[in-house]
Amino acid sequence: MTQTANEKTPTFEEAMAELEALVRKMEEGKLALEESVEAYTRGTELVNLCRAKLEDAETRVRKLEAQNNGSGDTTALQ
């Protein structure tokens, strides 16, 4: 599923909810082959989106921690 100009990027929570719904559908085993492939493709997109959002959040938290500590030590977040 390619995003069009009118579609907004889902939030982390929206992406997770959609991913969970896709997994439930796939686990039921009632999807046709093509629907399963489409669901898997969309699931992969959602996983990548969630991963990117988590990495971004982690980077932002590390920067804030470094600013607050003044030392730049971010080992507590690892």
Side-chain angles (χ1 to χ4, degrees):
M1 257 184 196
T2 304
Q3 189 171 333
T4 64
N6 293 337
E7 293 179 30
K8 69 175 186 81
T9 301
T11 64
F12 177 82
E13 293 78 11
E14 291 167 339
M16 283 298 294
E18 184 179 347
L19 183 58
E20 289 170 355
L22 284 173
V23 168
R24 274 193 301 275
K25 285 182 183 179
M26 292 177 75
E27 287 178 341
E28 289 173 0
K30 296 180 182 177
L31 294 177
L33 177 61
E34 190 59 34
E35 291 173 314
S36 292
V37 171
E38 289 175 9
Y40 182 83
T41 300
R42 179 62 179 157
T44 301
E45 292 170 353
L46 291 167
V47 166
N48 290 335
L49 175 75
C50 288
R51 183 177 291 129
K53 287 185 177 286
L54 285 172
E55 288 172 357
D56 178 59
E58 183 178 353
T59 299
R60 290 170 35 206
V61 168
R62 286 177 187 257
K63 286 179 182 177
L64 288 170
E65 285 290 317
Q67 289 173 355
N68 289 337
N69 292 336
S71 66
D73 181 21
T74 59
T75 55
L77 296 175
Q78 294 178 1

